Amino acid sequence: MRVLTGLQPSGKLHIGNYFASIKPMVENQNSGDNEMFIFIANYHAMTSNSDGLSLKESTFEAACAFLALGIDPQRSIFWVQSDVKEVLELYWILSQFTPMGLLERAHSYKDKVSKGFEPYHGLFSYPVLMAADILLYDSQIVPVGKDQIQHIEIARDIAAKFNHTYGEIFTMPESKTEENIATIPGTDGAKMSKSYKNTIDIFATQKTLKKQTSKIITDSTPLEEPKEWKDCNVFNIAKLFLDQSGQEELIKRYKSGEEGYGHFKMYLKDLIWEYFKEQREKFDYYVNNKSEVDEILQEGAVKARSIAKKNMLKIRELVGIY
């Protein structure tokens, strides 16, 4: 199966990115059962980052992070979205097959506008560019969180309209969601997102990591009383790093009434720090070896572009681009 996934370089990667997207992506890659297409979605990131220098730096940092966290360019096609310009051409062509009502019903757009995002066309038409990302490479499976399932449905609707007009050109993609980790909670209990400023960064310093975990919202249960673990933000983040026995041990500590939330936050900080120890070392290596990272990305772009060009030749002919 051909599996495609992308992640915006709109800031430092956080553990929500890792468990909802990167970890499953690496597992898919290493299973050997799938053909993996992985890209850094820098065009998409422009909807939330208008600072050119910042976006450029974030794109490089994201590439280093992907590689440090397990993306293997020998097993996967790994590139930067903007290195394959055909995606923008397809984005425009697909726009001719996208009803306004389809985009007006997009939950993500409404949610972001309600949280203060400017209602620009780029944000509104985000699902069309996402559809171009998916359809350009004949993607069969697209791993997403629950909040992105609607975007895959939109891509399918657009593909169906195009196929109805020109024949069975586009592969109909399917979304894949890991039910148990579909939405990773942030420090405030809402979905972890840079937009909501509730993240815990993967490659944070110990000082920053302590500050971020200390911000996790908890209830006011006194130190000496048992704590409720089921709806606790600290526990719901910590369990991502623990196996079944580790979770059971942490539950016992919650029920004992011998520790306060401050203890559990410190435990979580140490858990995260140790979990990503090896990845931090690799990240530092890639950050200090930019030419090696650039070469990896260019090799991936050549592979992705060869597929994109072949498909666009056929699509241009069908729609009459001279």
Side-chain angles (χ1 to χ4, degrees):
M1 299 291 281
R2 181 168 291 182
V3 180
L4 178 136
T5 190
L7 191 67
Q8 289 191 35
S10 51
K12 298 183 183 300
L13 291 179
H14 54 75
I15 62 174
N17 299 140
Y18 178 73
F19 285 104
S21 180
I22 301 172
K23 186 173 183 286
M25 185 164 50
V26 171
E27 290 171 349
N28 273 329
Q29 168 194 268
N30 294 342
S31 72
D33 298 329
N34 298 301
E35 187 180 12
M36 297 298 298
F37 283 57
I38 302 164
F39 67 96
I40 300 172
N42 58 335
Y43 281 141
H44 285 295
M46 293 176 71
T47 62
S48 58
N49 187 355
S50 58
D51 184 324
L53 180 59
S54 171
L55 179 56
K56 188 174 182 179
E57 291 176 347
S58 294
T59 301
F60 171 68
E61 185 175 305
C64 295
F66 268 116
L67 293 168
L69 292 168
I71 295 306
D72 183 348
Q74 301 305 314
R75 294 183 176 182
S76 299
I77 296 179
F78 176 49
W79 77 102
V80 176
Q81 183 184 29
S82 60
D83 282 337
V84 182
K85 305 299 182 185
E86 285 81 1
V87 73
L88 292 183
E89 184 177 6
L90 182 57
Y91 162 65
W92 178 249
I93 291 171
L94 295 181
S95 294
Q96 318 313 313
F97 296 84
T98 308
M100 288 290 289
L102 190 63
L103 299 182
E104 288 169 348
R105 292 191 293 273
H107 305 313
S108 179
Y109 173 75
K110 295 176 184 177
D111 182 59
K112 288 187 175 179
V113 170
S114 72
K115 289 185 165 40
F117 278 68
E118 291 287 344
Y120 291 129
H121 173 264
L123 187 63
F124 182 71
S125 63
Y126 182 108
V128 186
L129 180 55
M130 186 169 172
D133 291 320
I134 295 166
L135 301 176
L136 182 59
Y137 302 105
D138 303 316
S139 309
Q140 296 168 289
I141 301 294
V142 185
V144 291
K146 285 183 178 179
D147 61 318
Q148 290 283 311
I149 291 176
Q150 187 187 38
H151 285 171
I152 309 305
E153 294 171 349
I154 290 173
R156 288 175 58 86
D157 287 343
I158 296 171
K161 288 181 179 296
F162 189 95
N163 287 353
H164 179 73
T165 303
Y166 296 110
E168 297 302 311
I169 305 303
F170 289 127
T171 299
M172 298 298 282
E174 299 284 348
S175 61
K176 180 181 179 182
T177 303
E178 300 289 343
E179 290 298 327
N180 59 327
I181 57 171
T183 300
I184 308 302
T187 56
D188 58 357
K191 176 197 171 186
M192 187 173 290
S193 169
K194 289 180 281 285
S195 302
Y196 305 155
K197 296 180 172 58
N198 64 355
T199 61
I200 298 174
D201 298 335
I202 295 172
F203 299 113
T205 63
Q206 284 219 55
K207 182 178 179 181
T208 299
L209 185 58
K210 181 178 179 181
K211 182 178 180 181
Q212 290 177 337
T213 52
S214 295
K215 286 171 56 180
I216 299 174
I217 295 174
T218 55
D219 62 35
S220 56
T221 305
L223 174 66
E224 65 278 3
E225 292 186 13
K227 311 295 181 298
E228 176 55 55
W229 56 271
K230 288 184 179 179
D231 296 318
C232 176
N233 295 326
V234 179
F235 180 86
N236 287 332
I237 296 172
K239 71 179 182 181
L240 298 168
F241 299 89
L242 299 170
D243 58 18
Q244 188 62 38
S245 62
Q247 291 183 38
E248 291 173 356
E249 180 61 32
L250 184 56
I251 290 172
K252 288 180 182 178
R253 291 172 60 182
Y254 266 76
K255 291 180 175 180
S256 72
E258 297 176 357
E259 298 177 88
Y261 288 116
H263 295 95
F264 297 129
K265 290 177 182 180
M266 184 61 69
Y267 166 75
L268 175 62
K269 187 269 290 183
D270 293 339
L271 195 63
I272 296 171
W273 183 258
E274 183 60 29
Y275 186 92
F276 290 113
K277 179 181 179 180
E278 182 179 339
Q279 290 89 334
R280 279 196 307 277
E281 293 172 355
K282 290 181 179 179
F283 179 72
D284 290 341
Y285 168 81
Y286 285 118
V287 166
N288 291 298
N289 288 273
K290 185 176 185 299
S291 61
E292 183 176 338
V293 175
D294 289 343
E295 185 177 345
I296 289 170
L297 293 173
Q298 284 305 306
E299 289 177 355
V302 169
K303 295 175 185 177
R305 198 179 302 122
S306 67
I307 297 169
K309 285 184 175 180
K310 180 180 177 181
N311 285 338
M312 283 309 301
L313 282 173
K314 178 171 55 179
I315 292 167
R316 288 190 196 108
E317 181 68 22
L318 289 170
V319 301
I321 297 299
Y322 186 70

